[in-house]
Amino acid sequence: MPPFPSGEISLAPCAPARSQPADEAIASAAVAPDITRQFIRAKQPCADGYRWYLRRQEGASNYQALLDDLVREGRLEDACWMLDQFGPTNDVLEIDHLEADALVFAGSVRCRGHADVEGVLRTGRSLSVLGGLRVGGALRVGEDLRVAGAVRCEGSARLHGDARVGWSLTVAQRLQCTGSLRVGGELDCGATAHIGGHCRVAQDLRVVGDLGCDGGIKVGGHLQTDAAVQAARGVWVTGDVDCKGHLQVGWGVRAGGHIHAGGAIRAGESLWAGETIAAGEAYGVYAGLVVPLPDWPHSAQVCAREQPARLLSGCWTDGQGNKP
């Protein structure tokens, strides 16, 4: 079967390593479909994967049982390929604690305690953990992610829904969340990060690569990236904003500390900083890019401890709102 991208995410179902027997799991009403030889052949699997299936000598196989067997025999790429081809189910796996080498489950997983997976963790639908979550490989969740404790992923993470993390979120590689993301502690990402909705982080937000957000960004600590920051709406940061690339925001930017960028600073509306505003050498500062000129005094203000160098767009005002 075609290989699943090993470095990139994700949530591929892995081994049937569960902390309690499968027959104790609570499943929902939808029954997983049976997989026949004709059904598999119609999906044009690779020759090696199809031979493995034929060696099982079964006329029909339960979908989840087949995923479990693939994971058990170390065929994680084939298990992920199968989940991609046949899609999620409405099955629900409920367990007290999860400790596994890998897990690929076509439905939803609900863990009442902590979850620790050495390799790949993939679910076809939602993942809920009432304790902490550690994933040694890639993490991919088909729908919403809910974790009451901290999340540590040593691979990449792709979340196809909203994500709520009670404590800190650490992702060693790329982070992709198609919905909104809320983190109760710090957010650390070792590569690029893209959020499809709003991004709210209670403490510091640190990203090694580019940070992209299709909504607004609100950070209770400092915002720091080693590349560019792009947000479709506004950015509100209690501390400092530091990005080594361009800072581009559709609405306004407000920071309790400074706003510094290695490239240009572009805001659709106002720029407010408790300290200084500084773009990179030979780059400019632009505010009010989506505001009509008559509205600049109200909606395209640039306010900081001192007027930024190379202010090319916007209406400068001092801390009391007075224009020169």
Side-chain angles (χ1 to χ4, degrees):
M1 299 178 183
F4 187 86
S6 56
E8 194 167 18
I9 72 201
S10 324
L11 253 246
C14 264
R18 301 162 191 151
S19 56
Q20 65 184 67
D23 57 1
E24 295 180 16
I26 302 175
S28 69
V31 178
D34 287 337
I35 307 297
T36 64
R37 296 181 181 181
Q38 293 74 18
F39 203 22
I40 291 285
R41 186 183 302 157
K43 296 296 182 178
Q44 298 181 338
C46 67
D48 180 63
Y50 189 58
R51 282 195 298 269
W52 175 89
Y53 176 76
L54 294 178
R55 285 197 297 270
R56 300 177 84 248
Q57 297 180 349
E58 295 183 14
S61 301
N62 176 270
Y63 183 18
Q64 186 58 51
L66 188 56
L67 291 175
D68 290 344
D69 289 345
L70 286 168
V71 171
R72 183 181 296 109
E73 297 192 20
R75 305 182 71 95
L76 300 181
E77 294 176 351
D78 290 349
C80 292
W81 176 87
M82 178 162 289
L83 183 55
D84 289 338
Q85 296 298 314
F86 299 113
T89 67
N90 292 329
D91 292 341
V92 178
L93 174 65
E94 294 192 17
I95 49 181
D96 291 329
H97 300 283
L98 173 61
E99 292 184 5
D101 292 332
L103 175 64
V104 177
F105 191 77
S108 298
V109 176
R110 300 173 184 170
C111 180
R112 290 180 284 268
H114 296 287
D116 192 337
V117 178
E118 288 295 332
V120 173
L121 171 58
R122 181 173 182 177
T123 64
R125 295 200 183 276
S126 64
L127 172 62
S128 174
V129 181
L130 296 184
L133 170 64
R134 189 193 74 86
V135 181
L139 171 65
R140 185 176 178 183
V141 179
E143 293 180 352
D144 293 346
L145 171 69
R146 297 287 187 274
V147 180
V151 175
R152 182 175 184 84
C153 176
E154 298 174 15
S156 58
R158 186 184 299 173
L159 315 173
H160 293 275
D162 294 336
R164 299 289 184 272
V165 178
W167 294 1
S168 63
L169 171 61
T170 303
V171 180
Q173 298 178 21
R174 184 184 180 190
L175 168 62
Q176 181 180 359
C177 177
T178 62
S180 295
L181 173 65
R182 178 174 293 186
V183 180
E186 296 183 344
L187 169 57
D188 283 282
C189 180
T192 61
H194 186 269
I195 313 301
H198 297 296
C199 178
R200 184 169 183 173
V201 179
Q203 299 179 18
D204 293 346
L205 192 164
R206 293 180 290 268
V207 178
V208 171
D210 292 332
L211 171 61
C213 181
D214 295 339
I217 299 175
K218 187 172 184 179
V219 180
H222 301 297
L223 170 60
Q224 178 181 350
T225 71
D226 290 345
V229 175
Q230 183 170 0
R233 297 191 179 183
V235 173
W236 188 313
V237 178
T238 302
D240 300 328
V241 175
D242 288 288
C243 71
K244 294 184 179 179
H246 299 302
L247 173 62
Q248 183 162 329
V249 180
W251 293 1
V253 181
R254 179 183 288 269
H258 62 247
I259 301 175
H260 291 177
I265 297 177
R266 306 185 187 97
E269 298 179 358
S270 297
L271 285 168
W272 288 77
E275 298 295 333
T276 57
I277 299 175
E281 188 66 29
Y283 288 100
V285 177
Y286 305 84
L289 293 177
V290 298
V291 176
L293 289 174
D295 296 334
W296 271 24
H298 306 289
S299 301
Q301 296 183 1
V302 179
C303 180
R305 191 178 62 190
E306 58 187 39
Q307 182 171 344
R310 299 178 298 281
L311 176 59
L312 304 180
S313 173
C315 184
W316 166 249
T317 176
D318 62 21
Q320 286 72 43
N322 300 317
K323 294 173 283 294

